[in-house]
Amino acid sequence: MSAAIWVLHGLGRAVPVLFATAGITFLLSAFAKQEPADILLGEAATPEAVAELNHELGRDRPLLVQFGSWIAQAVQGDLGTSWFTGIPVLTTITDRMPVSLSIAGLALVIAVVLGASAGIAAALLRDSWVDRLVTLAASTLATLPPFVVSIGLILLFGVALPFLPTGGYVPFERSPGGWLASIILPAIALSLEAAADIARQLRTALVRTYEENLVIGARLRGLSPARILFRHALPHASGPALAALGIQVPRLIGGAIIAEQIFSLPGLGLMAYDGAMQGDQPVVLGAVMVTVVVVLISTLIVDLLILALNPAARTTPARTTPAQATPARTTPATERSSL
């Protein structure tokens, strides 16, 4: 299956997910206890004033009509206007998106670098104290929820060693150093679980790959350990780690919402939370849908990476999970004989 067909399959799966997510979010917000008219007009508002405002907001129309109208506008790039601020939702999302992407992006980088380094070290030093330490650390970190790690980091760097900010956000264009300092703690809190998963998957796959005839033959030909690792072992063993990364990407993006709450960062998560507390339906819908789109795009990119490294996956357009992933490609008999 070519990459283009794979992308089409991914897009075909994304449309129902987006539609279902929009429908569920719309229904939840529609049946929420918060009544925007009561908040906007205050407790002294008359029933006539509440009815008039609901008419202006379109809340007196049938739910199916309201949902259809929102979908029609969203397809054209119009996510509506906040009922409370009067600011277009897309404008607010554009302002807040860099915060969420900064946290999730840095967490992803930390997870890949830390997880890959630990997994490679554990595999190359199999059964050593390094291997046992990595295994213990990965098992421990995998059980710690990001919000627990966040609180621990705040206590450590906000109280015991107060040299990093534990709240607020500095845009990159204003101060790159301040930007990094403002997102490093939430990024670390989000990255540890993903790093642990990547390390475990990569360690297991590399150990198996080093027992394959492909690597044994490379050793017999006198290739350097670095070339064996990066040219032969890693390309064949990275499939499970990439699959684990694909599962972790939505968690990183979703976890950024919690991190924004804990570290008081003005991202999409805080925007969605404030909107939900006020019953601001357009804000909630816009934030959720944009987040889902980012998750779907990230998942598609990971799928394409798996496809490039494991051509056998082209016959199966479904997502590969760590348990299903092939740890190492079996070398054909003709290739083995040539080694």
XYZ file of all heavy atoms in Angstrom, residues 164-271:
799
model
N 13.351 28.002 39.011
C 12.545 27.894 37.807
C 11.131 28.369 38.118
O 10.604 28.088 39.200
C 12.502 26.451 37.292
C 13.734 25.922 36.567
C 13.566 24.439 36.232
C 14.003 26.719 35.289
N 10.490 29.080 37.199
C 9.117 29.537 37.445
C 8.147 28.368 37.477
O 8.285 27.418 36.712
C 8.837 30.475 36.264
C 9.769 30.008 35.187
C 11.004 29.518 35.881
N 7.174 28.437 38.338
C 6.169 27.382 38.439
C 4.806 27.850 37.928
O 3.790 27.208 38.198
C 6.031 26.913 39.897
O 5.690 28.043 40.716
C 7.329 26.300 40.389
N 4.782 28.945 37.211
C 3.543 29.452 36.645
C 3.818 30.590 35.692
O 4.870 31.233 35.755
N 2.871 30.826 34.791
C 3.025 31.897 33.813
C 3.722 31.428 32.549
O 4.358 30.361 32.524
N 3.576 32.224 31.492
C 4.130 31.869 30.191
C 4.791 33.075 29.563
O 4.256 34.188 29.608
C 3.023 31.347 29.257
C 3.487 31.030 27.857
C 4.209 29.871 27.597
C 3.195 31.889 26.796
C 4.635 29.573 26.312
C 3.613 31.598 25.514
C 4.336 30.435 25.271
O 4.757 30.146 23.998
N 5.973 32.860 28.989
C 6.716 33.905 28.283
C 6.799 33.517 26.811
O 7.335 32.448 26.489
C 8.132 34.080 28.870
C 8.897 35.143 28.091
C 8.064 34.444 30.350
N 6.267 34.321 25.881
C 6.360 33.986 24.456
C 7.804 33.867 23.984
O 8.693 34.558 24.491
C 5.644 35.157 23.770
C 4.774 35.758 24.824
C 5.513 35.557 26.120
N 8.027 32.993 23.030
C 9.374 32.750 22.521
C 9.967 33.999 21.903
O 11.158 34.284 22.079
C 9.329 31.623 21.485
C 10.670 31.300 20.887
C 11.543 30.441 21.538
C 11.057 31.857 19.671
C 12.784 30.142 20.984
C 12.296 31.567 19.117
C 13.166 30.704 19.777
N 9.142 34.764 21.178
C 9.660 35.951 20.500
C 10.077 37.040 21.484
O 10.906 37.896 21.157
C 8.636 36.517 19.526
C 7.285 36.872 20.140
C 6.317 35.710 20.176
O 6.764 34.550 19.994
O 5.121 35.965 20.384
N 9.547 37.004 22.691
C 9.935 37.983 23.696
C 11.247 37.594 24.372
O 12.132 38.434 24.565
C 8.837 38.125 24.751
C 9.151 39.160 25.824
C 8.120 39.127 26.946
N 6.765 39.335 26.434
C 5.674 39.224 27.189
N 5.796 38.898 28.484
N 4.483 39.417 26.672
N 11.374 36.336 24.735
C 12.583 35.865 25.409
C 12.681 34.352 25.245
O 11.941 33.614 25.917
C 12.573 36.237 26.892
O 13.644 35.621 27.580
N 13.549 33.857 24.373
C 13.688 32.396 24.217
C 14.034 31.691 25.526
O 13.511 30.612 25.812
C 14.826 32.265 23.195
C 14.777 33.536 22.419
C 14.378 34.584 23.408
N 14.910 32.315 26.323
C 15.256 31.715 27.605
C 14.088 31.681 28.564
O 13.853 30.677 29.254
N 13.327 32.773 28.625
C 12.150 32.806 29.474
C 11.078 31.839 29.013
O 10.377 31.231 29.827
N 10.952 31.694 27.688
C 9.990 30.731 27.129
C 10.335 29.320 27.566
O 9.466 28.569 28.034
C 10.001 30.842 25.609
C 9.299 29.727 24.899
C 7.960 29.599 24.687
C 9.901 28.570 24.309
N 7.682 28.439 24.001
C 8.864 27.788 23.758
C 11.214 28.133 24.189
C 9.109 26.591 23.102
C 11.467 26.936 23.540
C 10.420 26.177 23.002
N 11.613 28.942 27.442
C 12.029 27.598 27.828
C 11.838 27.373 29.322
O 11.375 26.307 29.752
C 13.488 27.377 27.441
C 14.071 25.991 27.734
C 13.285 24.922 26.985
C 15.540 25.941 27.354
N 12.177 28.383 30.119
C 12.028 28.241 31.569
C 10.572 28.087 31.981
O 10.258 27.378 32.951
C 12.650 29.450 32.271
N 9.659 28.716 31.238
C 8.246 28.677 31.620
C 7.562 27.366 31.256
O 6.509 27.050 31.820
C 7.495 29.845 30.970
O 7.479 29.716 29.549
N 8.136 26.598 30.322
C 7.472 25.358 29.894
C 8.267 24.109 30.237
O 7.765 23.001 30.025
C 7.193 25.372 28.380
C 8.508 25.369 27.587
C 6.320 26.551 27.988
C 8.312 25.172 26.096
N 9.475 24.250 30.762
C 10.308 23.076 30.984
C 9.722 22.137 32.027
O 9.731 20.907 31.867
C 11.757 23.505 31.365
C 12.668 22.288 31.431
C 11.761 24.274 32.677
C 12.884 21.598 30.127
N 9.182 22.679 33.124
C 8.634 21.824 34.177
C 7.391 21.061 33.714
O 7.315 19.839 33.908
C 8.337 22.652 35.428
C 9.558 23.212 36.165
C 9.116 23.939 37.447
C 10.549 22.115 36.504
N 6.396 21.725 33.109
C 5.257 20.937 32.620
C 5.645 19.945 31.530
O 5.078 18.853 31.451
C 4.279 22.000 32.086
C 5.075 23.239 31.936
C 6.156 23.169 32.954
N 6.631 20.304 30.700
C 7.069 19.374 29.654
C 7.714 18.134 30.259
O 7.468 17.008 29.815
C 8.040 20.073 28.704
N 8.535 18.322 31.276
C 9.154 17.175 31.950
C 8.089 16.296 32.597
O 8.135 15.059 32.508
C 10.176 17.657 32.998
C 11.385 18.303 32.312
C 10.634 16.500 33.873
C 12.381 18.904 33.282
N 7.121 16.929 33.244
C 6.058 16.169 33.909
C 5.290 15.301 32.917
O 4.908 14.164 33.227
C 5.112 17.124 34.626
N 5.070 15.817 31.719
C 4.329 15.064 30.710
C 5.178 14.005 30.028
O 4.661 12.993 29.552
C 3.770 16.020 29.650
C 2.683 16.994 30.078
C 2.286 17.887 28.917
C 1.473 16.245 30.595
N 6.486 14.218 29.949
C 7.342 13.368 29.123
C 7.753 12.068 29.792
O 8.108 11.104 29.097
C 8.601 14.143 28.738
O 9.421 14.389 29.868
N 7.738 12.000 31.116
C 8.347 10.858 31.800
C 7.626 9.538 31.500
O 8.261 8.514 31.267
C 8.375 11.118 33.300
C 9.268 12.280 33.744
C 9.288 12.398 35.269
C 10.685 12.125 33.205
N 6.315 9.563 31.510
C 5.571 8.328 31.214
C 5.838 7.865 29.787
O 6.048 6.669 29.538
C 4.074 8.544 31.427
C 3.245 7.295 31.184
C 1.755 7.535 31.365
O 1.369 8.672 31.707
O 0.974 6.590 31.169
N 5.831 8.807 28.839
C 6.106 8.451 27.445
C 7.533 7.947 27.279
O 7.790 6.980 26.546
C 5.863 9.661 26.544
N 8.487 8.579 27.950
C 9.887 8.138 27.866
C 10.037 6.720 28.399
O 10.781 5.908 27.835
C 10.776 9.104 28.642
N 9.346 6.411 29.488
C 9.417 5.067 30.054
C 8.875 4.030 29.088
O 9.464 2.950 28.901
C 8.642 5.023 31.375
N 7.771 4.332 28.429
C 7.177 3.404 27.471
C 8.098 3.199 26.272
O 8.307 2.064 25.813
C 5.818 3.943 27.017
C 4.945 2.850 26.414
O 5.345 1.665 26.457
O 3.869 3.170 25.884
N 8.656 4.284 25.754
C 9.569 4.178 24.617
C 10.807 3.362 24.996
O 11.272 2.507 24.223
C 9.981 5.575 24.130
C 8.764 6.295 23.536
C 11.108 5.498 23.106
C 9.021 7.751 23.210
N 11.370 3.602 26.171
C 12.569 2.885 26.611
C 12.304 1.385 26.704
O 13.117 0.571 26.253
C 13.036 3.428 27.963
N 11.185 1.000 27.270
C 10.879 -0.425 27.420
C 10.682 -1.099 26.072
O 11.204 -2.187 25.820
C 9.631 -0.605 28.293
C 9.864 -0.282 29.764
C 8.654 -0.601 30.605
N 7.497 0.198 30.220
C 6.322 0.109 30.818
N 6.142 -0.734 31.811
N 5.317 0.880 30.437
N 9.932 -0.446 25.184
C 9.680 -1.038 23.874
C 10.964 -1.143 23.059
O 11.221 -2.170 22.402
C 8.639 -0.202 23.120
C 7.259 -0.187 23.743
C 6.590 -1.548 23.707
O 6.888 -2.374 22.855
N 5.680 -1.784 24.633
N 11.775 -0.095 23.079
C 13.002 -0.097 22.290
C 14.014 -1.092 22.849
O 14.698 -1.787 22.090
C 13.604 1.308 22.263
C 14.805 1.509 21.328
C 14.449 1.141 19.897
C 15.285 2.957 21.397
N 14.117 -1.193 24.147
C 15.049 -2.147 24.750
C 14.689 -3.569 24.346
O 15.554 -4.361 23.940
C 15.004 -1.975 26.273
C 16.024 -2.818 27.029
C 15.413 -4.103 27.531
N 16.374 -4.915 28.258
C 16.211 -6.205 28.480
N 15.144 -6.844 28.019
N 17.130 -6.884 29.145
N 13.409 -3.935 24.466
C 12.980 -5.287 24.109
C 13.219 -5.585 22.638
O 13.731 -6.660 22.279
C 11.492 -5.466 24.444
O 11.283 -5.217 25.840
C 11.023 -6.866 24.104
N 12.873 -4.630 21.766
C 13.039 -4.848 20.331
C 14.509 -4.942 19.934
O 14.887 -5.753 19.088
C 12.351 -3.725 19.562
N 15.353 -4.116 20.539
C 16.783 -4.149 20.202
C 17.429 -5.456 20.649
O 18.279 -6.006 19.932
C 17.493 -2.964 20.853
C 17.541 -1.664 20.049
C 18.212 -0.569 20.854
C 18.262 -1.867 18.721
N 17.054 -5.945 21.819
C 17.618 -7.215 22.287
C 17.295 -8.323 21.299
O 18.149 -9.159 20.961
C 17.083 -7.542 23.696
C 17.404 -8.983 24.078
C 17.683 -6.596 24.726
N 16.064 -8.346 20.815
C 15.679 -9.366 19.840
C 16.390 -9.160 18.509
O 16.794 -10.126 17.859
C 14.163 -9.343 19.631
C 13.367 -9.758 20.864
C 11.879 -9.670 20.588
N 11.102 -10.026 21.758
C 9.774 -9.972 21.823
N 9.084 -9.567 20.762
N 9.136 -10.314 22.928
N 16.526 -7.911 18.121
C 17.166 -7.620 16.837
C 18.625 -8.033 16.836
O 19.139 -8.531 15.824
C 17.040 -6.116 16.522
O 15.658 -5.754 16.496
C 17.661 -5.794 15.175
N 19.319 -7.843 17.954
C 20.736 -8.226 18.024
C 20.926 -9.744 17.968
O 22.056 -10.214 17.803
C 21.374 -7.659 19.290
C 21.999 -6.307 19.061
C 21.243 -5.145 19.186
C 23.334 -6.187 18.696
C 21.801 -3.900 18.961
C 23.908 -4.950 18.464
C 23.131 -3.805 18.600
O 23.694 -2.576 18.361
N 19.849 -10.504 18.113
C 19.936 -11.954 17.965
C 19.570 -12.402 16.555
O 19.631 -13.596 16.246
C 18.997 -12.618 18.975
C 19.392 -12.360 20.427
C 18.366 -12.893 21.405
O 17.290 -13.336 20.943
O 18.633 -12.865 22.624
N 19.193 -11.461 15.693
C 18.836 -11.771 14.313
C 20.083 -12.023 13.477
O 21.169 -11.488 13.757
C 18.035 -10.624 13.711
C 16.657 -10.439 14.304
C 15.641 -11.364 13.678
O 15.832 -11.746 12.503
O 14.656 -11.705 14.358
N 19.911 -12.804 12.429
C 21.034 -13.101 11.532
C 21.559 -11.847 10.832
O 22.732 -11.783 10.462
C 20.612 -14.129 10.484
C 20.460 -15.512 11.078
O 20.927 -15.766 12.182
N 19.798 -16.400 10.351
N 20.680 -10.873 10.652
C 21.098 -9.636 9.995
C 22.215 -8.951 10.782
O 23.224 -8.526 10.208
C 19.894 -8.693 9.866
C 20.164 -7.306 9.286
C 20.596 -7.423 7.845
C 18.948 -6.416 9.421
N 22.063 -8.855 12.093
C 23.079 -8.213 12.924
C 24.284 -9.125 13.104
O 25.429 -8.663 13.094
C 22.478 -7.834 14.294
C 23.544 -7.284 15.223
C 21.355 -6.813 14.115
N 24.036 -10.421 13.257
C 25.158 -11.362 13.388
C 26.041 -11.317 12.145
O 27.283 -11.317 12.234
C 24.626 -12.787 13.633
C 23.884 -12.845 14.973
C 25.764 -13.802 13.601
C 23.202 -14.174 15.233
N 25.410 -11.270 10.973
C 26.180 -11.171 9.740
C 26.972 -9.877 9.644
O 28.111 -9.862 9.158
N 26.376 -8.778 10.114
C 27.086 -7.507 10.093
C 28.314 -7.551 10.995
O 29.362 -6.984 10.673
C 26.143 -6.390 10.529
N 28.196 -8.234 12.118
C 29.360 -8.380 12.993
C 30.448 -9.208 12.324
O 31.641 -8.895 12.423
C 28.935 -9.039 14.305
C 28.149 -8.128 15.241
C 27.640 -8.916 16.430
N 27.017 -8.051 17.433
C 26.332 -8.489 18.466
N 26.151 -9.809 18.641
N 25.808 -7.647 19.339
N 30.048 -10.279 11.642
C 31.027 -11.127 10.970
C 31.756 -10.385 9.862
O 32.915 -10.691 9.552
C 30.336 -12.372 10.401
C 29.781 -13.364 11.441
C 29.048 -14.498 10.763
C 30.908 -13.901 12.316
N 31.089 -9.409 9.275
C 31.738 -8.612 8.229
C 32.635 -7.539 8.806
O 33.257 -6.781 8.069
C 30.669 -7.966 7.340
C 30.040 -8.953 6.365
C 29.063 -8.241 5.448
N 27.860 -7.808 6.165
C 26.975 -6.975 5.659
N 27.166 -6.435 4.473
N 25.909 -6.643 6.348
N 32.704 -7.423 10.128
C 33.608 -6.491 10.768
C 33.113 -5.063 10.837
O 33.921 -4.137 10.999
N 31.805 -4.868 10.716
C 31.282 -3.506 10.798
C 31.407 -2.975 12.226
O 31.373 -3.733 13.193
C 29.809 -3.482 10.370
C 29.510 -3.925 8.927
C 28.025 -3.800 8.647
C 30.318 -3.137 7.930
N 31.543 -1.677 12.345
C 31.710 -1.058 13.652
C 30.412 -1.154 14.451
O 29.313 -1.213 13.874
C 32.103 0.410 13.505
O 31.041 1.142 12.906
N 30.508 -1.185 15.790
C 29.288 -1.252 16.611
C 28.316 -0.111 16.327
O 27.100 -0.310 16.339
C 29.830 -1.193 18.040
C 31.220 -1.736 17.942
C 31.723 -1.279 16.607
N 28.864 1.104 16.077
C 27.982 2.244 15.807
C 27.209 2.035 14.517
O 26.009 2.326 14.434
C 28.801 3.532 15.734
N 27.881 1.513 13.475
C 27.194 1.292 12.198
C 26.171 0.170 12.326
O 25.081 0.256 11.751
C 28.213 0.949 11.113
C 27.566 0.800 9.738
C 28.590 0.675 8.644
N 27.957 0.595 7.338
C 28.608 0.460 6.201
N 29.950 0.400 6.205
N 27.959 0.388 5.059
N 26.514 -0.871 13.073
C 25.555 -1.955 13.282
C 24.303 -1.420 13.975
O 23.174 -1.763 13.610
C 26.198 -3.078 14.115
C 27.298 -3.770 13.309
C 25.146 -4.095 14.553
C 28.070 -4.798 14.099
N 24.508 -0.554 14.970
C 23.375 -0.017 15.722
C 22.503 0.880 14.864
O 21.279 0.678 14.789
C 23.885 0.752 16.943
C 22.833 1.503 17.762
C 21.825 0.536 18.360
C 23.493 2.340 18.849
N 23.121 1.881 14.211
C 22.328 2.909 13.530
C 21.913 2.526 12.109
O 20.899 3.028 11.617
C 23.112 4.228 13.500
C 23.308 4.847 14.846
C 24.535 4.805 15.487
C 22.254 5.453 15.504
C 24.715 5.365 16.742
C 22.415 6.018 16.758
C 23.650 5.972 17.381
N 22.659 1.656 11.463
C 22.325 1.287 10.081
C 21.548 -0.024 9.988
O 20.829 -0.245 9.011
C 23.608 1.177 9.263
C 24.337 2.484 9.054
C 23.558 3.418 8.130
N 23.369 2.843 6.825
C 24.244 2.933 5.815
N 25.389 3.592 6.013
N 23.999 2.399 4.654
N 21.700 -0.897 10.971
C 21.068 -2.211 10.876
C 20.045 -2.454 11.981
O 18.910 -2.837 11.693
C 22.151 -3.307 10.913
C 23.080 -3.285 9.739
N 22.816 -3.954 8.565
C 24.268 -2.655 9.557
C 23.801 -3.749 7.705
N 24.705 -2.963 8.277
N 20.453 -2.257 13.243
C 19.569 -2.637 14.347
C 18.418 -1.663 14.556
O 17.247 -2.063 14.589
C 20.384 -2.781 15.636
N 18.743 -0.381 14.692
C 17.693 0.591 15.009
C 16.574 0.664 13.971
O 15.397 0.709 14.341
C 18.311 1.973 15.222
C 18.708 2.330 16.652
C 19.272 3.741 16.714
C 17.525 2.198 17.603
N 16.897 0.712 12.658
C 15.788 0.778 11.689
C 14.824 -0.393 11.808
O 13.631 -0.247 11.546
C 16.509 0.787 10.337
C 17.857 1.348 10.626
C 18.204 0.840 11.996
N 15.330 -1.573 12.198
C 14.475 -2.753 12.300
C 13.779 -2.846 13.652
O 12.739 -3.494 13.766
C 15.314 -4.014 12.067
C 15.832 -4.134 10.677
N 15.138 -4.747 9.659
C 16.988 -3.695 10.119
C 15.834 -4.691 8.535
N 16.959 -4.060 8.794
N 14.354 -2.225 14.681
C 13.806 -2.359 16.032
C 12.958 -1.169 16.462
O 12.376 -1.195 17.542
C 14.950 -2.549 17.033
N 12.891 -0.133 15.644
C 12.212 1.094 16.072
C 10.702 1.047 15.903
O 9.998 1.933 16.386
C 12.769 2.297 15.294
O 12.616 2.099 13.900
N 10.189 0.025 15.221
C 8.748 -0.058 15.003
C 7.926 -0.045 16.284
O 7.006 0.774 16.431
N 8.211 -0.925 17.255
C 7.437 -0.907 18.502
C 7.563 0.408 19.258
O 6.593 0.865 19.866
C 8.040 -2.075 19.299
C 8.624 -2.977 18.271
C 9.120 -2.088 17.175
N 8.757 1.007 19.243
C 8.930 2.282 19.940
C 8.116 3.378 19.272
O 7.520 4.226 19.947
C 10.408 2.668 19.979
N 8.079 3.376 17.946
C 7.272 4.365 17.230
C 5.786 4.139 17.489
O 5.015 5.094 17.612
C 7.563 4.302 15.731
C 8.853 4.974 15.264
C 9.078 4.710 13.784
C 8.809 6.467 15.533
N 5.388 2.871 17.553
C 3.984 2.577 17.864
C 3.639 3.073 19.260
O 2.554 3.632 19.488
C 3.731 1.076 17.744
N 4.561 2.873 20.211
C 4.336 3.386 21.561
C 4.264 4.904 21.546
O 3.452 5.509 22.258
C 5.457 2.916 22.488
N 5.116 5.535 20.727
C 5.087 6.989 20.614
C 3.753 7.457 20.042
O 3.195 8.470 20.485
C 6.240 7.461 19.732
C 6.361 8.964 19.505
C 6.601 9.680 20.817
C 7.481 9.267 18.521
N 3.239 6.713 19.061
C 1.948 7.071 18.485
C 0.826 7.032 19.501
O -0.110 7.829 19.443
N 0.911 6.105 20.441
C -0.095 6.032 21.501
C 0.097 7.158 22.506
O -0.871 7.697 23.063
C -0.014 4.660 22.201
C -0.394 3.555 21.213
C -0.905 4.611 23.429
C -0.227 2.162 21.769
N 1.345 7.534 22.740
C 1.636 8.553 23.744
C 1.350 9.969 23.257
O 1.088 10.855 24.076
C 3.100 8.450 24.172
C 3.433 7.216 24.987
C 2.773 7.202 26.342
O 2.386 8.233 26.883
N 2.623 6.015 26.911
N 1.410 10.213 21.955
C 1.201 11.573 21.441
C -0.150 12.148 21.867
O -0.219 13.276 22.373
C 1.364 11.608 19.907
C 0.791 12.907 19.335
C 2.841 11.507 19.542
N -1.269 11.417 21.700
C -2.532 11.974 22.205
C -2.515 12.222 23.708
O -3.126 13.178 24.187
C -3.562 10.887 21.838
C -2.943 10.136 20.717
C -1.472 10.144 20.993
N -1.802 11.369 24.448
C -1.718 11.576 25.899
C -0.923 12.834 26.225
O -1.241 13.542 27.181
C -1.059 10.361 26.552
C -1.862 9.067 26.418
C -1.141 7.898 27.058
N -1.883 6.651 26.878
C -1.439 5.464 27.276
N -0.271 5.371 27.886
N -2.164 4.385 27.076
N 0.117 13.097 25.446
C 0.894 14.311 25.682
C 0.050 15.551 25.419
O 0.079 16.514 26.186
C 2.133 14.319 24.788
C 3.210 13.276 25.095
C 4.335 13.371 24.072
C 3.760 13.465 26.490
N -0.691 15.525 24.323
C -1.518 16.681 23.980
C -2.652 16.843 24.992
O -2.960 17.955 25.443
C -2.074 16.531 22.556
C -0.910 16.510 21.546
C -3.035 17.668 22.220
C -1.333 16.233 20.137
N -3.278 15.717 25.374
C -4.321 15.797 26.386
C -3.774 16.164 27.747
O -4.400 16.915 28.507
N -2.570 15.655 28.066
C -1.960 15.982 29.340
C -1.568 17.436 29.455
O -1.484 17.987 30.562
N -1.317 18.069 28.307
C -0.980 19.493 28.326
C -2.122 20.311 28.920
O -1.897 21.365 29.531
C -0.653 19.979 26.916
N -3.350 19.811 28.762
C -4.503 20.515 29.334
C -4.398 20.545 30.857
O -4.622 21.582 31.508
C -5.805 19.825 28.891
C -5.960 19.913 27.368
C -7.007 20.428 29.594
C -7.158 19.173 26.827
N -4.039 19.391 31.453
C -3.890 19.335 32.904
C -2.709 20.174 33.354
O -2.770 20.882 34.367
C -3.725 17.867 33.345
C -4.941 17.046 32.921
C -3.510 17.777 34.849
C -4.825 15.573 33.224
N -1.615 20.101 32.589
C -0.425 20.873 32.949
C -0.717 22.367 32.938
O -0.209 23.113 33.785
C 0.720 20.547 31.986
N -1.533 22.809 31.995
C -1.871 24.228 31.934
C -2.660 24.662 33.172
O -2.510 25.795 33.644
C -2.674 24.511 30.670
C -1.848 24.384 29.395
C -2.718 24.363 28.151
O -3.923 24.691 28.256
O -2.199 24.019 27.091
N -3.486 23.757 33.685
C -4.227 24.073 34.905
C -3.278 24.213 36.092
O -3.378 25.167 36.876
C -5.243 22.962 35.193
C -6.267 22.745 34.108
C -7.286 23.844 34.045
O -7.619 24.432 35.054
N -7.780 24.154 32.864
N -2.359 23.261 36.218
C -1.481 23.232 37.389
C -0.474 24.373 37.357
O -0.204 25.011 38.384
C -0.764 21.867 37.467
C -1.790 20.744 37.647
C 0.254 21.851 38.604
C -1.194 19.363 37.623
N 0.077 24.652 36.169
C 1.130 25.664 36.060
C 0.608 27.023 35.587
O 1.405 27.906 35.265
C 2.218 25.174 35.099
C 3.020 24.016 35.618
C 2.656 22.713 35.319
C 4.136 24.226 36.415
C 3.394 21.638 35.805
C 4.878 23.160 36.894
C 4.500 21.865 36.592
N -0.703 27.182 35.526
C -1.337 28.464 35.156
C -0.810 28.978 33.824
O -0.350 30.124 33.702
C -1.090 29.511 36.257
O -1.622 29.081 37.478
N -0.891 28.141 32.803
C -0.426 28.500 31.467
C -1.626 28.762 30.569
O -2.552 27.939 30.501
C 0.431 27.377 30.880
C 1.721 27.075 31.657
C 2.372 25.799 31.142
C 2.684 28.242 31.549
N -1.645 29.879 29.856
C -2.812 30.266 29.051
C -2.883 29.536 27.710
O -2.758 30.137 26.654
C -2.605 31.769 28.856
C -1.112 31.928 28.834
C -0.574 30.917 29.811
N -3.089 28.226 27.765
C -3.179 27.439 26.544
C -4.602 27.023 26.231
O -5.570 27.524 26.814
N -4.733 26.062 25.313
C -6.058 25.594 24.908
C -6.779 24.905 26.065
O -8.002 24.973 26.167
C -5.929 24.626 23.733
C -5.592 25.222 22.374
C -5.519 24.129 21.321
C -6.637 26.255 21.972
N -6.020 24.220 26.915
C -6.642 23.523 28.033
C -7.327 24.475 28.988
O -8.475 24.250 29.394
N -6.635 25.536 29.361
C -7.229 26.527 30.254
C -8.398 27.227 29.570
O -9.413 27.552 30.208
C -6.171 27.539 30.671
C -6.493 28.412 31.884
C -6.780 27.555 33.100
C -5.360 29.387 32.159
N -8.280 27.434 28.272
C -9.360 28.046 27.502
C -10.609 27.158 27.527
O -11.728 27.626 27.777
C -8.896 28.274 26.063
C -9.984 28.630 25.088
S -9.354 28.682 23.380
C -10.893 28.831 22.482
